[in-house]
Amino acid sequence: MSNILSEISAAVIAGNLGDIADLTEDALDEGLSAEEILNQGLMPGMDHVGVEFRAGRMFVPEVLRSARAMQKSMDILKPLLVESGTRMVGKVVIGTVKGDLHDIGKNLVAMMCEGAGFEVRDLGKDVAPEAFVDAVKEFEPDIVGMSALLTTTMRSMQLTINALEEAGVRERVKVMIGGAPVTQDFANQIGADGYASNAAAAVEMAKQFVGAA
Ligand code: B1M
């Protein structure tokens, strides 16, 4: 890995809010692409944070700081990741489901969908089933995307699909789900239309759903 990418990983791990923006700019100046910085700098850093968190060597305030550092870099990369997004290929409503505050992966999926030309309405995190229903009625998306990072909040995905059915709008949209604990089996079980394991796969699936693949 290039030195600057290692430094970016280290800045995410340390939650170094002072240096991460400069490091990101330096990496771009060195000719690295936004995708390389994301996949080989930020993501390995956050993976390491996850390992340390699970092992009890990092705690919530530190993890939060790492998340902020990653977001700060992503704010710089976003225009580059979405720069091709001038065409409107379809509409996506996306959110992290109720009870869940993890939004980095969801933000990435939203960003990459924008980059692929989708109009995206991001409902944020901790989104109640009723809020998804309201957004479907108001925004009339082609796709509803749900993200969950906790095994305990995966159930909110099922509850959201139930709410879409009860409101009579389930058939109007394709439902795509993702997040670290989510699987294809789980998607089948709750009646989602698709599961994507990462942001790039999510974009491919979204394009297939609207016939733009
Ligand atoms: Co949390 N956390 N966390 N956390 N946290 C995890 C998820 C955990 C695995 C850590 C661990 O134990 N190793 C664990 C969950 C265990 C489980 O349920 N299986 C955990 C826990 C336990 C908790 C708390 C309960 C801790 C506590 O308070 N005791 C708490 C819960 C709060 C809540 O949500 N109610 C909590 C809190 C937090 C912070 C707030 C401190 C912070 C989140 C900050 C934020 O998001 N703004 C945080 C973080 C940062 C993590 C880890 C370290 C990193 C998550 C992340 O951002 N990854 C995480 C460990 C880990 O995953 N390594 C962990 C980077 C991101 C780009 O990846 O989100 O997987 P990811 O997204 C990927 C794919 O999954 C996919 O594409 C993305 C890009 O490729 N994808 C989709 C995601 N959504 C998709 C949607 C799609 C398609 C694909 O379609 C719509």
Side-chain angles (χ1 to χ4, degrees), residues 18-165:
D19 289 343
I20 189 91
D22 286 345
L23 286 168
T24 305
E25 299 285 5
D26 289 349
L28 291 169
D29 289 346
E30 280 188 20
L32 291 164
S33 69
E35 284 83 1
E36 283 169 322
I37 298 170
L38 176 64
N39 294 325
Q40 295 171 42
L42 299 174
M43 296 289 278
M46 192 49 89
D47 284 346
H48 184 83
V49 169
V51 171
E52 295 297 293
F53 188 33
R54 184 182 289 278
R57 290 188 291 267
M58 277 179 87
F59 301 96
V60 171
E62 294 162 294
V63 176
L64 210 41
R65 215 174 150 80
S66 294
R68 287 205 196 102
M70 179 158 176
Q71 192 63 52
K72 209 165 170 182
S73 176
M74 273 166 47
D75 288 345
I76 296 169
L77 301 180
K78 179 174 176 177
L80 302 167
L81 291 168
V82 304
E83 73 188 355
S84 59
T86 43
R87 303 145 294 135
M88 224 285 276
V89 297
K91 292 204 249 177
V92 177
V93 158
I94 192 166
T96 302
V97 294
K98 188 174 168 72
D100 201 316
L101 303 177
H102 297 84
D103 65 355
I104 297 176
K106 180 268 297 168
N107 292 346
L108 257 178
V109 173
M111 203 184 272
M112 304 263 297
C113 283
E114 270 185 57
F118 284 89
E119 191 182 346
V120 176
R121 176 156 306 179
D122 187 344
L123 305 180
K125 55 196 171 189
D126 191 17
V127 180
E130 308 75 53
F132 278 103
V133 170
D134 290 347
V136 168
K137 288 181 180 165
E138 192 198 322
F139 188 57
E140 300 185 343
D142 304 283
I143 299 161
V144 169
M146 290 188 271
S147 180
L149 264 285
L150 299 171
T151 42
T152 48
T153 56
M154 287 164 69
R155 186 175 139 70
S156 297
M157 292 177 153
Q158 172 80 78
L159 296 176
T160 302
I161 291 179
N162 293 350
L164 292 172
E165 278 166 2

Side-chain angles (χ1 to χ4, degrees), residues 185-212:
D185 276 353
F186 180 71
N188 297 342
Q189 196 184 310
I190 66 169
D193 297 296
Y195 154 75
S197 64
N198 58 57
V203 169
E204 280 317 303
M205 181 168 291
K207 286 204 236 167
Q208 278 171 17
F209 282 153
V210 297

